[in-house]
């Protein structure tokens, strides 16, 4: 039992949430049905093919059997009943997986190309999800741009994230550990890179880390080093390279600090602190000439410390 | 020829509808059009659409049955058309079931209305604080019909000098 | 069964009867596909309306029901005449002139033309007022100035007070309302609920006009196609092709034209009246 | 009619006429503008082989890219375009027209005892439109392609910068081709049947085509309007599907799946029809439960319109809608199940010969069973939430579409090849190809079930090395090479048969339906005199082995 929850079964990933086991038992039931029915049909087919081969002794069929109402009724009825059982069972599991308990802790999730951000009740935001074990957590999902889908295989939860609406999922993680979050609705170039991690912490660790700030600068770390981590954490790397002259969706960060240039509407700019801050918070304000206005805003996601660290990191790129 | 399910000498487009019937149907269609327009003046609330669709369906049936000869034509043609309408109904049914029941199980309430309420609440707060008087004025306009407010009032107003505030700034910045 | 067979049926059919009945079934199937094509727009209509009922009410009152009614009458009349044309073909003896068919078809085409003229006036009015789809909605240069002044006069409040983020976003997105009709929308709607809703209504009015132009546009295209089909049938009729044993093209052209009428029968109340 | 007065009871095999539909007229124009359903069928067949090859190579590229994590042979942008194009080509250019337009066009009028389809010119127009649509799709690809996936979900498709409008218009045009084919088939089946060919004497392939044609006519227009709306969304900014403008993105999915779920049955039903022909002919035995199979085709066609929401269980549609759709989904499982068991039972007490078409048919039976059974996981709400949009789904629909329809397509192609060209292919090579494809298919797609249920999302350019998915991807990629090998053997064998193949008799498989009555290859107008049918299409005699197909009384002199 212990090993199943750690590494999963042959078919399924580990069970890390309270509802995962329910889903798995339905899965196992259907899988058993599959084995049985496949075995029946496979055996019948192979047996008949071997037994009734056309040979010189058996050149033509020996029966003109055309139908059998009893048998046909039976193999309509039995699968129908089984299907209805699966339907009812599936719907109950679904309901349990959909309706969150009243005492669930709410976390707001925002998806955008191609990153996630998680906002907690105290207002802090993170790019990985932090959740306490043994406590139901309800995620309220929204998207800033296109459809995404929030998927944690180990929790067996998934929901599309729809722009202009809110959708929800909930889970209760059983014990501390890390689990993968995927985006499963195709959302463009970096779709497969839109994975993050759920860090499940014990209730005490969660409370402590929360008050310290989940993703504050690790003690003693160089701001520029932290800035580089943030650069990949927020998915900047999807569109901005670090090599000289590298062109992705946006311009390269190489030598960005102090760079002079022209915007799409013909004004000139100098990439100082203020410019960089504005470009991250309100990317549409100044578009560098020759690039599409494609960047999403990181308002409400990147805090003051982090901004300083990112700028410190940019200053090192020469 | 008996194998061809639709070969009957009295069918297959040989039925000639008498002239007076065409004229009668035409008259009926005209009357029904007048009725639709007349009835639209009254407000029956949500029943408005139902009533209008009911009248429209009578009209459409008249056209289909008599002008398009479905009544006396091969049954297969009517069946084909009816089958098509069945699928149209399905097409309406399921999206509407979805949109109509999104609030039922989901404990978060209607997603659309949350967005809307957020907007309304926010705007109302700003509003109520600063312009209590203006809100009172709104109710004066309550019963004025759309058409009545029309040109005369709007035209009477001179275009004022532009006040400088963010709306203009934003719209011209580009 | 026909006694005089003068129209040669195609090689793969047994006789005229089979050919005519096949053609008609084919036509009906085609009409079904047309109905399903339009049903997509009607579903869009229903869903958008149910998402924004208030906006819909205000925006739809911008349409001129008189023009709609005139067009309804025109189409119904044309439907009647084309039905009579089919009957004329059904009762025509072999060798007789087709002048009655030709006359009725010509009148039908004339009606279709009248329909398009009325549509032309409706469209140009909407275009003039900026009541259009998507980003073209209210896209007039002086729009903002008009709007601000209109709001100031009507509600005796300063426009800065309306600077809620939503309002500004709406204005930016759509360069909202400034024409007379834009003010109508605001006046009418502001008087019923709250200001926030007014703004949303103004913002989202483009959805109504999007659906309006799609529905009437697609229908208009069908009117044009129907006219061409009937014109082709008319040319054949002038050559004296049709008589009681062979009139399939008249009948099929007629069916198509009736369908155009059928769709309008639903379009008219849904857009102009409800 | 004339055929009733016809008195020519003697049915003679042999005595081939030298003029047949292939050599009746010469020159490219005589093919491109022919209205002969057999020639149109052949043109479809060769075009479709081309599109299948294209789609296949795209699939090989996808598999090769996934062989290692990170970039293997192409970057993410290229990958996204390749998998999108693979889907579009396989769905719209191969599998939807595949069996109905190529095999159906050729065989169906022959099976009915008709001289052509009801509207031969429309049939030709339908082919021309198909070619135009194909050219548009290929042009779009060269012009930058699209990366939306074949589903074109909004708002991604309505906002990104790629050739979406052109590609949707291509699919729009292809839709017309599909509608016209369906319309033609419905009318043909209703109006063009030979004397004595009652509904319960129709071959099951014709029943399946009839059911397919109903869906083509009823569902495809909705695809048309959906794509039109999407194009308008991009060109005019209508906003019905765009939340930023007040629309509802989930509505697009309703629109899209109203067509695309029934379209799944446009893809599989004709395959099921081919199966019924193959299984009976090669076990030389009457089909078990003719009526159940025929009616289940119609049932599938109708129910297929009721279940589209199972593609949207996690899309944010209401839970009630999810419940209703899940329930209806299970109803559609039943008729498919009936078919499978009936085919299997048909083998009982038959005289089975494992000729190449039969090997394909047995592959279908096994693979489609797996594909169908795994569908239960996806119809059940509880498990679908976990499996949705993972490789489990990819594996499931490949088992149904490729393991089902494509196998039936190849089986049917081998079955009717002698009729089409009057030549026999090399039987050993044909069986070898079928077995190789069977093995390659399983090696390719079975691992995808496992990694899918373990959480590997679909449409992923990349995966993490530490996630444990790599080994499954690698097995799968190796499987795709085995598949390629099988396909190559098949192609070489078939094409070389055109030159070197033995002459085929008019009825090489001793089958019982009317297409085997006329010579191979058939004469220009199929039959000199319309045959009169006196018995069902599967009346394999028990006492003696010779009789004319369906007891037909007249044929070639």
């Amino acid at each position: 039992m212990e090993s199943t929850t750690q590494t999963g079964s042959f078919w399924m990933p580990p069970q890390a949430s309270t509802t995962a086991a329910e889903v798995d038992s339905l899965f196992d039931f259907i899988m058993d049905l599959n084995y049985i029915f496949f075995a029946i049909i496979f055996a019948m087919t192979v047996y008949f093919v071997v037994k009734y081969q056309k040979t010189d002794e058996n050149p033509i069929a020996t029966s003109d059997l055309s139908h059998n109402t009893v048998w046909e009724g039976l193999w309509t009825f039995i699968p129908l009943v089984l299907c209805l059982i699966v339907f009812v069972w599936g719907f109950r599991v679904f309901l349990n997986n959909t309706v969150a308990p009243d005492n669930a802790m709410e976390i707001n999730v925002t998806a955008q190309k191609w990153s996630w951000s998680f906002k907690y009740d105290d207002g802090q935001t993170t790019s990985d999800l932090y959740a306490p074990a043994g406590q139901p957590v309800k995620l309220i999902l929204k998207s800033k741009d296109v459809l995404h889908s929030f998927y944690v295989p180990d929790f067996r939860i998934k929901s599309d994230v729809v722009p202009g609406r809110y959708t929800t999922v909930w889970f209760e993680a059983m014990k501390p550990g890390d689990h993968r979050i995927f985006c499963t609705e195709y959302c463009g170039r970096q779709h497969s890179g839109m994975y993050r991690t759920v860090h499940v912490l014990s209730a005490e660790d969660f409370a402590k880390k929360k008050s310290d700030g989940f993703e504050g600068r690790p003690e003693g770390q160089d701001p520029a080093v932290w800035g580089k981590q943030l650069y990949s954490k927020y998915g900047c790397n999807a569109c901005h390279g670090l090599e000289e002259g590298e062109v992705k969706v946006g311009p390269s960060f190489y030598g960005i600090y102090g760079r002079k240039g022209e915007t799409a509407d013909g004004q000139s700019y100098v990439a100082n602190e203020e410019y960089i801050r504005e470009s991250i918070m309100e990317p549409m304000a100044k578009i560098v000439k020759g690039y599409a206005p494609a960047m999403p805003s990181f308002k409400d996601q990147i805090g003051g410390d982090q901004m300083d660290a990112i700028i410190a990191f940019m200053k090192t790129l020469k | 020829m008996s194998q061809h399910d639709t070969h009957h000498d009295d069918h297959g487009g040989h039925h000639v509808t008498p002239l007076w019937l065409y004229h009668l149907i035409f008259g009926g269609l005209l009357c029904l059009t007048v009725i639709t327009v007349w009835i639209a003046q009254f407000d029956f609330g949500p029943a408005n659409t139902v009533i209008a669709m009911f009248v429209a369906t009578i009209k459409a049936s008249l056209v289909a049955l008599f002008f398009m000869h479905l009544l006396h034509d091969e049954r297969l043609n009517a069946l084909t058309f009816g089958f098509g309408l069945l699928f149209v109904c399905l097409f309406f049914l399921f999206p509407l079931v979805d949109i109509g029941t999104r609030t039922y199980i989901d404990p978060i309430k209607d997603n659309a209305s949350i967005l809307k309420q957020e907007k309304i609440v926010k705007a109302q707060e700003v509003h109520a604080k600063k312009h209590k008087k203006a809100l009172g004025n709104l109710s004066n306009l309550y019963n004025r019909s759309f058409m009545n407010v029309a040109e005369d009032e709007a035209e009477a107003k001179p275009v004022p000098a532009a006040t400088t505030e963010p709306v203009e700034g934003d719209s011209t910045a580009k | 069964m026909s006694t005089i067979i003068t129209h040669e049926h195609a090689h793969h059919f047994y006789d005229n009867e089979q050919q005519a009945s096949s053609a008609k079934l084919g036509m009906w199937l085609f009409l079904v596909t047309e109905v399903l094509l339009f049903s997509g727009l009607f579903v869009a209509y229903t869903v958008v309306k149910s998402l924004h009922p208030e906006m819909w009410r205000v925006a739809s009152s911008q349409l001129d029901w008189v023009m709609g009614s005139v067009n309804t009458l025109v189409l119904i009349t044309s439907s009647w005449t084309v039905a009579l044309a089919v009957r004329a073909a059904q009762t025509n003896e072999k060798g007789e002139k087709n002048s009655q068919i030709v006359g009725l078809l010509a009148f039908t085409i004339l009606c279709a033309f009248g329909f398009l003229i009325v549509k032309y006036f409706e469209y140009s009015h909407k275009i003039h007022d900026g009541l259009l789809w998507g980003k073209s909605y209210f896209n007039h240069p002086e729009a903002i100035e008009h709007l601000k002044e209109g709001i100031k006069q009507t509600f005796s409040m300063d426009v800065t007070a309306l600077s809620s983020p939503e309002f500004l976003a709406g204005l930016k997105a759509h360069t909202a309302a400034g024409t007379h009709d834009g003010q109508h929308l605001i006046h009418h709607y502001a008087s019923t609920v709250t200001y926030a809703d007014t703004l949303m209504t103004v913002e989202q009015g483009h959805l109504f006009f999007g659906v309006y132009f799609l529905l009437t546009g697609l229908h208009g295209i069908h009117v044009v196609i129907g006219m061409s089909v009937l014109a082709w049938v008319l040319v054949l009729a002038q050559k004296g092709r049709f008589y009681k044993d062979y009139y399939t093209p008249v009948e099929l052209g007629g069916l198509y034209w009736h369908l155009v009428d059928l769709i309008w029968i639903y379009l008219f109340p849904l857009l102009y009246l409800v | 009619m004339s055929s009733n007065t016809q008195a020519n009871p003697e049915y003679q095999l042999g005595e081939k006429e030298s003029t047949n539909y292939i050599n009746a007229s010469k020159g490219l124009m005589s093919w491109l503008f022919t209205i002969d359903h057999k020639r149109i069928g052949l043109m479809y067949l060769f075009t479709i082989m081309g599109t299948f090859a294209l789609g296949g190579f795209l699939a090989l590229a996808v598999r090769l890219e996934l062989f290692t994590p990170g970039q293997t042979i192409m970057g993410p942008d290229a990958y996204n375009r390749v998998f999108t194009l693979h889907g579009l080509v396989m769905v719209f250019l191969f599998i939807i027209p595949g069996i109905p337009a190529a095999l159906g066009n050729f065989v169906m009028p022959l099976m009915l005892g008709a001289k052509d389809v009801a509207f031969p010119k429309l049939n030709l127009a339908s082919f021309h439109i198909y070619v135009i649509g194909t050219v548009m799709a290929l042009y779009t690809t060269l012009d930058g392609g699209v990366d939306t996936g074949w589903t074109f979900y909004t708002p991604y498709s309505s906002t990104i910068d790629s050739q979406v409008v052109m590609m949707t218009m291509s699919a729009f045009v292809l839709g017309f081709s599909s509608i016209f084919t369906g319309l033609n088939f419905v009318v043909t089946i209703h109006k063009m049947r030979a004397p004595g060919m009652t509904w319960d004497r129709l071959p099951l392939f014709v029943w399946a085509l009839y059911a397919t044609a109903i869906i083509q006519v009823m569902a495809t227009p909705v695809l048309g309007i959906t794509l039109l709306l999407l194009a308008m969304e991009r060109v005019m900014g209508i906003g019905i599907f765009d939340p930023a403008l007040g629309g509802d993105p989930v509505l697009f999915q309703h629109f899209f799946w109203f067509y695309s779920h029934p379209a799944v049955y446009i893809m599989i039903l004709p395959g099921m029809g081919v199966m019924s022909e193959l299984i009976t002919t090669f076990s030389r035995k009457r089909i078990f439960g003719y009526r159940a199979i025929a009616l289940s085709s119609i049932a599938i066609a109708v129910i297929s319109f009721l279940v589209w929401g199972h593609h949207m269980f996690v899309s944010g549609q209401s839970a009630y809608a999810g419940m209703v759709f899940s329930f209806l989904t299970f109803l559609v499982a039943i008729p498919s199940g009936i078919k499978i068991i009936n085919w299997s039972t048909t083998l009982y007490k038959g005289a089975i010969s494992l000729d190449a078409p039969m090997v394909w048919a047995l592959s279908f039976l096994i693979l489609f069973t797996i594909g169908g059974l795994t569908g239960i996981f996806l119809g059940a709400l509880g498990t679908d939430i976990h499996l949705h949009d993972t490789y489990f789904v990819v594996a499931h629909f490949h088992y149904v579409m490729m393991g089902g329809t494509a196998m039936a397509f190849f089986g049917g192609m081998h079955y009717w090849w002698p009729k089409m060209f009057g030549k026999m292919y090399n039987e050993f090579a044909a069986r070898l190809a079928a077995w190789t494809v069977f093995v390659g298919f399983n090696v390719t797609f079975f691992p995808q079930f496992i990694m899918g249920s373990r959480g590997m999302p679909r449409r992923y350019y990349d995966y993490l090395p530490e996630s444990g998915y790599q080994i499954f991807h690698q097995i799968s990629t190796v499987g795709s090479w085995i598949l390629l090998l099988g396909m190559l053997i098949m192609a070489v064998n078939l094409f070389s048969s055109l030159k070197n193949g033995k002459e085929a008799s008019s009825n090489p498989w001793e089958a019982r339906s009317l297409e085997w009555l006329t010579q191979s290859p058939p004469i220009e107008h199929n039959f000199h005199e319309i045959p009169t049918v006196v018995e069902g299409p599967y009346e394999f005699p028990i006492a003696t082995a010779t009789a004319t197909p369906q007891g037909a009384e007249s044929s070639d002199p």
Side-chain angles (χ1 to χ4, degrees), chain B residues 16-79:
Chain B
V16 179
T17 314
L19 269 180
W20 62 266
L21 187 57
Y22 279 125
H23 301 332
L24 186 72
I25 300 297
F26 176 56
L29 288 172
L30 291 183
C31 290
L32 286 167
T33 307
V34 173
I35 290 175
T36 328
V37 175
W38 173 71
I39 219 164
Q41 294 177 0
F42 307 103
D43 191 4
F44 301 101
N48 278 341
T49 317
V50 179
I51 293 169
M53 285 303 95
F54 180 68
V55 179
T57 304
I58 297 176
K59 284 165 76 178
S61 317
L62 289 179
V63 172
L65 290 178
F66 295 99
F67 283 1
M68 299 171 96
H69 303 135
L70 273 187
L71 195 60
H72 293 285
D73 214 340
E74 290 173 27
R75 278 245 301 288
L76 182 61
N77 293 339
L79 211 67

Side-chain angles (χ1 to χ4, degrees), chain A residues 74-211:
Chain A
L74 209 60
W75 66 57
T76 308
F77 183 70
I78 295 176
L80 184 65
V81 170
L82 289 171
C83 278
L84 290 181
I85 293 173
V86 171
F87 160 69
V88 173
W89 190 344
F91 185 59
R92 291 175 65 106
V93 171
F94 170 73
L95 276 188
N96 286 344
N97 242 335
T98 304
V99 184
D102 289 339
N103 62 342
M105 161 199 286
E106 289 189 1
I107 297 174
N108 282 288
V109 183
T110 307
Q112 69 184 45
K113 291 182 200 169
W114 291 278
S115 62
W116 299 96
S117 89
F118 303 91
K119 189 171 186 180
Y120 303 83
D121 55 0
D122 63 352
Q124 68 170 310
T125 61
T126 60
S127 64
D128 275 356
L129 173 61
Y130 294 84
Q135 148 90 35
V137 174
K138 182 160 103 180
L139 303 176
I140 299 167
L141 310 158
K142 68 175 178 193
S143 166
K144 278 192 179 174
D145 39 40
V146 298
L147 293 177
H148 299 279
S149 193
F150 182 90
Y151 178 37
V152 183
D154 295 356
F155 294 164
R156 316 282 189 269
I157 56 171
K158 182 183 289 141
S159 175
D160 276 14
V161 188
V162 186
R165 289 180 53 191
Y166 293 109
T167 49
T168 62
V169 285
W170 78 276
F171 63 88
E172 182 180 334
M174 293 189 293
K175 55 182 163 189
D178 287 353
H179 308 281
R180 186 72 70 203
I181 301 169
F182 288 116
C183 172
T184 50
E185 190 67 80
Y186 177 72
C187 57
R189 163 188 252 266
Q190 288 296 325
H191 171 50
S192 59
M194 205 171 149
Y195 57 82
R196 290 292 180 273
T197 305
V198 193
H199 303 283
V200 177
L201 309 169
S202 68
E204 306 83 62
D205 285 355
F206 181 81
K208 183 171 177 299
K209 260 209 132 161
K210 190 175 173 189
S211 63

Side-chain angles (χ1 to χ4, degrees), chain D residues 468-480:
Chain D
Y469 300 134
Q470 187 173 5
I471 180 68
F472 298 111
H473 277 300
Q474 289 184 337
I475 296 172
S476 185
T477 304
V478 171
S480 72

Side-chain angles (χ1 to χ4, degrees), chain C residues 2-274:
Chain C
S2 46
T3 44
I4 322 162
I5 297 181
T6 46
H7 174 79
E8 218 22 69
H9 57 84
H11 76 91
H12 57 292
F13 288 111
Y14 306 113
D15 56 12
N16 274 346
E17 179 74 31
Q18 190 197 18
Q19 184 166 11
S21 131
S22 301
K24 216 201 288 185
L25 177 60
M27 190 66 197
W28 273 106
L29 283 163
F30 181 68
L31 295 187
V32 165
T33 66
E34 292 280 15
V35 169
L36 280 151
L37 183 79
F38 271 95
S39 73
L41 289 178
F42 281 110
V43 171
Y45 169 100
T46 316
V47 169
V48 177
K49 188 177 174 185
S50 71
L51 289 176
H52 310 286
E54 291 303 327
M55 174 279 284
W56 204 267
R57 198 157 62 85
V58 176
S60 69
S61 57
Q62 286 289 295
L63 298 186
D64 186 348
W65 66 270
V66 178
M67 286 204 184
S69 310
V70 170
N71 262 350
T72 310
L73 296 181
V74 168
L75 271 192
I76 286 178
T77 312
S78 70
S79 212
W80 173 54
T81 53
V82 88
L84 292 179
V86 175
R87 188 182 183 280
Q90 279 179 325
T91 52
N92 214 14
E93 288 300 330
K94 170 75 190 149
E96 267 185 65
K97 285 244 153 96
N98 284 179
S99 55
Q100 206 188 355
I101 313 178
V102 172
L104 286 164
L105 285 176
F107 185 79
T108 309
I109 295 173
L110 210 67
C111 284
F113 204 66
F115 178 89
L116 289 179
I117 290 173
V118 176
K119 265 265 91 72
Y120 167 77
F121 282 114
E122 270 194 276
Y123 275 12
S124 46
H125 189 231
K126 298 283 165 298
I127 292 167
H128 176 259
D129 290 347
L131 296 175
L132 295 172
W133 55 83
K135 296 210 160 61
S136 321
Y137 179 66
F138 286 156
N139 194 8
H140 286 240
E142 335 77 58
I144 301 263
E145 288 308 316
H146 278 278
L147 175 73
K148 282 189 299 193
E149 185 49 29
I151 291 170
K152 195 170 183 181
Q153 300 275 333
T154 317
F155 304 116
S156 47
M157 61 173 84
D158 201 309
V159 181
T160 39
L162 298 169
S163 312
S164 69
E166 285 78 14
F167 182 40
L168 294 179
L171 287 182
K172 265 204 266 182
H174 305 303
T175 335
T179 61
H180 304 320
D181 297 279
Q183 288 187 6
H184 297 172
L185 287 181
I186 292 169
H187 288 195
H188 177 75
Y189 194 60
S191 59
T192 54
V193 199
T194 68
Y195 218 88
D197 276 350
T198 313
L199 302 174
M200 278 176 55
T201 300
V202 175
E203 272 177 40
Q204 290 164 347
H206 73 93
L207 278 173
F208 173 83
F209 292 102
V211 172
Y212 165 81
F213 276 101
L214 281 174
L215 266 171
T216 55
L218 191 63
H219 181 260
I221 292 171
H222 280 77
V223 171
V224 174
I225 296 172
M227 279 170 77
S228 327
V229 171
L230 291 180
W232 173 68
V233 175
L234 187 143
V235 170
L236 289 182
Q238 224 160 11
K239 292 182 185 162
R241 286 287 171 79
F242 306 120
Y243 62 104
K244 72 182 169 88
D245 288 325
Y246 177 69
Y247 54 90
T248 308
V250 192
E251 195 177 24
L252 300 193
L255 282 178
Y256 189 82
W257 190 253
H258 290 306
L259 185 87
V260 171
D261 183 33
L262 272 188
I263 289 166
W264 183 262
I265 284 177
Y266 282 95
L267 262 185
F268 168 57
L270 283 176
L271 287 175
Y272 292 82
L273 299 179
V274 176

